[in-house]
Amino acid sequence: MIRLRRCLTALVLLPVLAGCSTLVTGRPVPAAGFAPSAPEHRDPSGPVARTTAGTDPCTLLTPDDLEPVGGADGPPHPDNPLPGACTQMLGAGPGNSAGAGFHEPLDAARDRQPEGTPVEVDGHAAWLYCAEVDGFQTCTATTGIAPERSLLTLLSVRGASAADTAGMLHGLTSAALHKLPPA
């Protein structure tokens, strides 16, 4: 199940991965919870640059953080769906999952996911992208925390709308962001 979800999530996150044969395109969604972002480029690190040094991605989302989206179900899965991230299965439904970790610069996510939409999370520029894959609405938020790094958060929920999933993802993104110390 984790291998299947990894492929499906990777499809949303990295459409060029081998092994996933269907390209899924997303579309902008109402950014429930996320503040609209100005289209101009600005410092992606936001009001406070954050550091990832010494932070285990599996500590970015606690059981309390995950409770509103179904609660943690089982142990976290480090380096899933990609190195530097950690995914947690959720108890709200089979296959539902949430994750957080560190990833590429914000501009790289914008380039890779042109169907996404610019948003803001607690003053930090972010890129929101949602797509439905095999009945799971999967949304990712790539939040600028430093010029060369981003905080990646994801939520995948069976049968949910993009707006509902994005709204729930906002809370997860804010919680993870505030666990990162200032640079």
Side-chain angles (χ1 to χ4, degrees):
M1 180 68 154
I2 292 298
R3 182 182 291 278
L4 174 62
R5 295 293 304 138
R6 180 182 296 166
C7 184
L8 295 175
T9 302
L11 200 82
V12 173
L13 299 173
L14 303 168
V16 297
L17 285 178
C20 297
S21 61
T22 306
L23 178 63
V24 176
T25 58
R27 61 190 179 339
V29 298
F34 289 94
S37 181
E40 74 274 356
H41 282 295
R42 61 186 175 90
D43 182 0
S45 59
V48 177
R50 307 284 177 160
T51 182
T52 62
T55 303
D56 177 353
C58 290
T59 65
L60 292 172
L61 296 175
T62 66
D64 286 343
D65 298 332
L66 296 170
E67 198 58 40
V69 295
D73 185 21
H77 300 279
D79 293 323
N80 183 357
L82 49 94
C86 186
T87 299
Q88 177 73 53
M89 299 308 290
L90 301 173
N96 291 357
S97 61
F102 311 115
H103 200 43
E104 64 197 359
L106 180 59
D107 286 340
R110 289 178 180 146
D111 293 344
R112 189 177 29 77
Q113 300 169 328
E115 298 86 11
T117 188
V119 293
E120 200 171 278
V121 179
D122 301 335
H124 291 262
W127 192 250
L128 177 66
Y129 177 80
C130 294
E132 186 174 336
V133 180
D134 291 337
F136 286 87
Q137 186 60 241
T138 300
C139 292
T140 62
T142 305
T143 305
I145 55 173
E148 73 285 349
R149 291 303 268 170
S150 65
L151 169 67
L152 173 70
T153 52
L154 64 95
L155 181 61
S156 186
V157 181
R158 180 178 287 284
S161 71
D164 288 345
T165 304
M168 292 183 283
L169 180 62
H170 178 266
L172 297 177
T173 304
S174 183
L177 179 65
H178 289 284
K179 288 181 182 73
L180 296 175

